[in-house]
Structure formats: structure tokens, C-alpha cells
């Protein structure tokens, strides 16, 4: 992904910034499209993972729809020319203003999470003299085996309608004349790397579908959500996910009724590997038992380690650059580094919080003030979750095709 030419360009750009490799993004989309098209599956990109205009434009150009979780995401998707008929709107707490935005754009579907929300959407649609298409987000009670903050498909989570509520909801729907039930929606969590969790989801969906069939309710669309995880440890070796295996699993295990369409809402799987947070070392400091490498990027730019103890691979690109020039400009990621040359650093940010730490006892070549440090696999839930805490400047983005 990195070579000495790119790293020397980074030297003249103020840090910190997000660097997006557009070739990686496009190749990911090529693979995703090729494999999902085999089965006629429809993929809505989960805008929340990365909502940069340039990234959204490319994703839209590959024919994906948009999965939005706020009125502003809907507006952004429309601004980036996503077809409203390919926009789904999820979220456990949609405000009246946001519902009205979605109604005004006649989006494809509201993924509804409670009866009360359905009543409000019905009311607002009625006031506009329109009908809203809805899917019921059902909590399938499937354990996604992921971090507790990003698991969503268990009854103890706030998301979705529980199975024991279905009778009530269906009975109530009869009186909600401005709603049209067009689908069922599921989403069991995020950063799920055990593909068997999706197989379990398929089995649950099949059971739940039988319930609807036995109640003579036709469902046109099955939306299985997103959640597929990426390899944070080996971003070069596993840069591209096995989209063939992922979509085949759904094709093999979902029992579809005639004419039913399958929808996905992938976010991380699309954008994680194309993004890297680039920062510089401000200071090297000796601690009692460790060395600190203090970066000019912190939890304000990349919050995932502080919030979920998430791992992002940390690389010193300056070291590799010097070495790669010596070794005839070979690609940075191919450079050998032996353990004996490595020193342990706690890699931390500048923010006044002890949780502002990207990694403890990280093995790096000897590192100095001014070195360029890469935090890999940061394209999803990186820039979008950045903040201005400590009144810091908002982080910038740099695209591989613009430098
Ligand atoms: N659909 C729904 C209803 C969702 O809630 C989410 C993510 C997605 C789709 C997309 O999931 P993905 O394919 O990206 O896993 N900030 C956390 C991740 C939160 C995910 C929230 N929901 C992180 O940094 O890991």
C-alpha cells in the first residue's frame, strides 16, 4: 500500500490527516459488485462508516445504495446523487424532523425499530398525504461474538423489535394505513469475523420468515444488514475480503420465497482498508518501564482504540522510507525488519486523557521526533467519529489520486 514515493509526499503534508487509497477502494468495490451481482443481491453502503463526498461518489458510481441513520446522512446521500429509491433509513431514535426529510425524498424504506416509531411515521406520512414503505427491524437474538458495544442482535440490546412483540405489531399495523410493510430487517452487530454468525442469522431469518408465511403475510425484501469484519492485524495480507464466500453463504443458507430480494448494509467491509491515519511523532519520552512515542494525532482523530480497545496496526513509515531508498526503492511493506532492531513504545496521542493511547508496548524500529506514523485500517469509523475535543482542528483528508 505504501512505497517510498508516497511517503516522501507525506513529508510535505501537514499532519495529522486521513489518507485514502482510491485504488484499494475501487478494487474492493469491484470484488463486492462482481460477487453480489451473481445472486442479484442489493448492497446499501452504510454511510455512517465514512461519509466523505469523494468516497460516497465512488461508491455510488458502482451502483450501491445508501443505508442512512440520520436526516443529515439522507441529505448527504441525496447530495451525492444516490437514488432515493436506493436509500434505507435505520436507527432506534428517528426524530420527527428526520422522518419528514425521508418522507420528502420518498426513500425506499424505513427500517422500523418499535411500534411507537411506526405510529409516528404513520402520522407524519398521513399529514403529507403519502405512504411510507417500512421494514420491521427484528431482533433475531443471535450472538455476533464481537465487542459488547457493537453487538446489536441480542434481546438485551436496545435495537429492533423482539420476537415476542411480533403479534402485537402485526395486529397494530392493520390500522396504520399510511404504512406499507415491504420487508424484514436484521443487523446483528459489527466487526464480525466469524462467518458462522451469519449462517446462524440465516437460520433465524428462515424461522422468522415461516412465522410470516403462516400468518399469510407476504414479505418482498429481506435485509440482512451489515457487520462483516476486516483484518486489523494483517491489512496488507488480507486487504480484500472474500466477498465470494460471504455472498455465497447467504445464497446457500437463506430460504427465499419467490421474487424476494435480498439487501445488505455493509460499511466497514467497503471502506476500512482504504484508509490510514497519518501522523508525526512530536516527542519521544522515557517512562518508568516504557518509552512513549507521542503523536500529533490522538483519540480526537481516531477514537476506536479509546472507545473499544480496538487494535490498529502501527507502522513507522519514515524508517521504512530510509531503508527502502537504500534497498533500491523497494515497496515499503515488503521491507524486512528483524525483531532485534525493534524497540517497544507506548504510542499515545496529545489529548489530556489517559485513554488516549493507540497501542501499548508496540514494536517499532527506533523512532524519532518527526517520523511519520501510520495507523492502518482506519477508513471505517475513523474520520466520521473524529471530534474537536480540546478545541482541536478537524482532521483533514488526502486522496491518493490528488497527490
Ligand atoms: N446496518 C446497521 C443497522 C448498523 O447499525 C450498522 C452499523 C451497519 C449496517 C454497518 O455495519 P458494518 O458493516 O460497518 O459493520 N463505530 C463502531 C462500529 C459501529 C457500527 C454501528 N452500526 C466501530 O468503530 O467499530
Amino acid at each position: 500500500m505504501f512505497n517510498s514515493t508516497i511517503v516522501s509526499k507525506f513529508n510535505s503534508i501537514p499532519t495529522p490527516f486521513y489518507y485514502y487509497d482510491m485504488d484499494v477502494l475501487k478494487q474492493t468495490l469491484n470484488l463486492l459488485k462482481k460477487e453480489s451481482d451473481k445472486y442479484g443481491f442489493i448492497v446499501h453502503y452504510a454511510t455512517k462508516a465514512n461519509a466523505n463526498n469523494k468516497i460516497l461518489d465512488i461508491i455510488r458510481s458502482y451502483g450501491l445504495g445508501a443505508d442512512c441513520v440520520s436526516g443529515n446522512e439522507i441529505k448527504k446521500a441525496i447530495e451525492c446523487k444516490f437514488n432515493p429509491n436506493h436509500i434505507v433509513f435505520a436507527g432506534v431514535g428517528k426524530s420527527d424532523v428526520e422522518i419528514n426529510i425521508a418522507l420528502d425524498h420518498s426513500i425506499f424504506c424505513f427500517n422500523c425499530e418499535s411500534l411507537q416509531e411506526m405510529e409516528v411515521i404513520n402520522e407524519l406520512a398521513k399529514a403529507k398525504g403519502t405512504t411510507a414503505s417500512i421494514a420491521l427491524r427484528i431482533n433475531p437474538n443471535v450472538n455476533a461474538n464481537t465487542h459488547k458495544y457493537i453487538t446489536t442482535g441480542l434481546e438485551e440490546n436496545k435495537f429492533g423489535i423482539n420476537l415476542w412483540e411480533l403479534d402485537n405489531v402485526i395486529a397494530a399495523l392493520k390500522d396504520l394505513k399510511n404504512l406499507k410493510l415491504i420487508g424484514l430487517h436484521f443487523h446483528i452487530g459489527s466487526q464480525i469475523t466469524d462467518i458462522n454468525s451469519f449462517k446462524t442469522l440465516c437460520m433465524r431469518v428462515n424461522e422468522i420468515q415461516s412465522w410470516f408465511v403462516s400468518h399469510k403475510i407476504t414479505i418482498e425484501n429481506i435485509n440482512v444488514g451489515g457487520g462483516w469484519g476486516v483484518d486489523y492485524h494483517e491489512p496488507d495480507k488480507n486487504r480484500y475480503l472474500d466477498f465470494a464466500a460471504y455472498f455465497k453463504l447467504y445464497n446457500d443458507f437463506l430460504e427465499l420465497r419467490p421474487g424476494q430480494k435480498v439487501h445488505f448494509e455493509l460499511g466497514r467491509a467497503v471502506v476500512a482498508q482504504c484508509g490510514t491515519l497519518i501522523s508525526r511523532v512530536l516527542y519521544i519520552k522515557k517512562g518508568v518501564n516504557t518509552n512513549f512515542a507521542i503523536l500529533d494525532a490522538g483519540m480526537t482523530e481516531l477514537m476506536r482504540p479509546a472507545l473499544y480497545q480496538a487494535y490498529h496496526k502501527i507502522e513507522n513509515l519514515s524508517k521504512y522510507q530510509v531503508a527502502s531508498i537504500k534497498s533500491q526503492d523497494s515497496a515499503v511493506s515488503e521491507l524486512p525488519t528483524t525483531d532485534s532492531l525493534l524497540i517497544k513504545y507506548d504510542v499515545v496521542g496529545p489529548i489530556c486523557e489517559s485513554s488516549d493511547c493507540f497501542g501499548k508496548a508496540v514494536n517499532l524500529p527506533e523512532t524519532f521526533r518527526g517520523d511519520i506514523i501510520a495507523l492502518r485500517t482506519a477508513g471505517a469509523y475513523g474520520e466520521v467519529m473524529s471530534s474537536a475535543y480540546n478545541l482541536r482542528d478537524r482532521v483533514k483528508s488526502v486522496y491518493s489520486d490528488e497527490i
Side-chain angles (χ1 to χ4, degrees):
M1 181 132 151
F2 297 110
N3 56 44
S4 55
T5 318
I6 296 169
V7 179
S8 59
K9 286 181 183 166
F10 288 169
N11 279 326
S12 56
I13 304 174
T15 46
F17 61 87
Y18 273 90
Y19 171 73
Y20 295 105
D21 187 321
M22 301 316 263
D23 293 331
V24 172
L25 175 62
K26 287 176 190 164
Q27 179 57 8
T28 306
L29 287 162
N30 274 328
L31 295 168
L32 178 151
K33 231 5 217 166
K34 178 171 157 239
E35 300 302 331
S36 56
D37 280 355
K38 274 188 191 162
Y39 312 106
F41 291 163
I42 301 163
V43 181
H44 305 264
Y45 165 65
T47 315
K48 64 165 83 66
N50 187 312
N52 281 2
N53 285 7
K54 191 160 164 142
I55 288 184
L56 289 177
D57 279 344
I58 291 182
I59 292 173
R60 193 242 318 112
S61 75
Y62 278 78
L64 275 69
D67 159 36
C68 299
V69 286
S70 69
N72 286 343
E73 281 192 1
I74 294 174
K75 284 188 193 163
K76 177 58 93 68
I78 302 276
E79 192 184 304
C80 291
K81 307 214 162 36
F82 281 87
N83 183 338
N85 202 28
H86 294 160
I87 294 179
V88 294
F89 183 20
V92 68
K94 303 174 184 79
S95 72
D96 294 21
V97 171
E98 292 176 314
I99 293 168
N100 277 328
I101 291 170
L103 289 171
D104 289 342
H105 289 289
S106 307
I107 62 159
F108 173 63
C109 189
F110 289 79
N111 294 334
C112 292
E113 308 226 6
S114 68
L115 180 53
Q116 195 167 34
E117 177 196 328
M118 286 160 57
E119 287 164 357
V120 172
I121 298 175
N122 183 64
E123 194 88 336
L124 295 170
K126 191 172 167 191
K128 287 182 183 291
T130 185
T131 304
S133 295
I134 66 156
L136 301 178
R137 176 169 180 176
I138 297 177
N139 186 340
N141 207 16
V142 169
N143 193 344
N145 297 314
T146 183
H147 191 281
K148 63 174 191 280
Y149 286 4
I150 49 177
T151 191
T152 53
L154 290 173
E155 279 178 0
E156 68 208 49
N157 300 127
K158 68 179 174 183
F159 301 98
I161 297 165
N162 290 313
L163 294 170
W164 43 265
E165 295 172 297
L166 273 183
D167 277 318
N168 250 350
V169 168
I170 293 301
L173 198 53
K174 293 198 175 70
D175 296 326
L176 303 174
K177 303 282 183 227
N178 292 74
L179 299 186
K180 181 174 184 237
L181 179 65
I182 63 160
L184 301 180
H185 174 232
F186 306 87
H187 174 76
I188 56 172
S190 196
Q191 184 50 18
I192 300 165
T193 48
D194 177 5
I195 206 157
N196 279 314
S197 299
F198 298 120
K199 189 170 154 189
T200 312
L201 171 64
C202 289
M203 304 306 189
R204 296 295 285 145
V205 172
N206 295 341
E207 287 168 27
I208 293 164
Q209 279 238 66
S210 320
W211 185 93
F212 280 86
V213 172
S214 69
H215 286 72
K216 307 213 168 10
I217 302 167
T218 317
I219 299 292
E220 296 156 52
N221 299 282
I222 301 290
N223 182 337
V224 290
W228 195 19
V230 298
D231 192 341
Y232 282 91
H233 290 264
E234 299 275 10
D236 291 313
K237 202 166 120 203
N238 295 317
R239 189 172 297 164
Y240 301 109
L241 285 165
D242 189 352
F243 285 101
Y246 176 77
F247 289 118
K248 183 172 184 302
L249 179 139
Y250 280 97
N251 186 60
D252 288 351
F253 292 102
L254 262 190
E255 284 164 14
L256 296 178
R257 315 288 158 183
Q260 257 180 354
K261 294 205 169 64
V262 185
H263 300 251
F264 293 78
E265 298 172 343
L266 292 170
R268 192 186 317 260
V270 183
V271 289
Q273 297 294 15
C274 75
T276 306
L277 177 60
I278 303 292
S279 78
R280 272 191 179 78
V281 177
L282 288 175
Y283 304 107
I284 298 292
K285 186 170 152 180
K286 275 237 159 278
V288 181
N289 299 314
T290 183
N291 303 299
F292 291 101
I294 303 168
L295 308 186
D296 63 4
M299 62 193 284
T300 37
E301 285 68 42
L302 180 60
M303 201 204 219
R304 305 191 67 257
L307 190 57
Y308 319 110
Q309 298 82 44
Y311 174 87
H312 286 262
K313 191 172 184 193
I314 301 173
E315 292 170 353
N316 182 334
L317 298 185
S318 297
K319 274 292 147 306
Y320 291 166
Q321 188 192 15
V322 173
S324 72
I325 288 167
K326 281 189 193 143
S327 62
Q328 289 149 3
D329 226 16
S330 60
V332 169
S333 48
E334 288 163 17
L335 274 168
T337 35
T338 64
D339 283 349
S340 59
L341 299 172
L342 300 177
I343 298 174
K344 287 197 191 316
Y345 293 91
D346 282 9
V347 180
V348 301
I351 308 303
C352 308
E353 302 272 348
S354 296
S355 60
D356 185 27
C357 176
F358 289 129
K360 286 201 178 297
V362 179
N363 280 319
L364 290 174
E366 192 175 8
T367 293
F368 299 95
R369 171 172 164 83
D371 282 357
I372 302 258
I373 302 292
L375 289 126
R376 302 289 306 274
T377 319
Y381 307 107
E383 195 178 343
V384 272
M385 288 173 68
S386 66
S387 77
Y389 181 43
N390 287 191
L391 287 191
R392 282 167 62 83
D393 292 332
R394 292 314 287 254
V395 65
K396 304 269 185 311
S397 34
V398 168
Y399 301 91
S400 59
D401 55 1
E402 289 180 4
I403 56 168

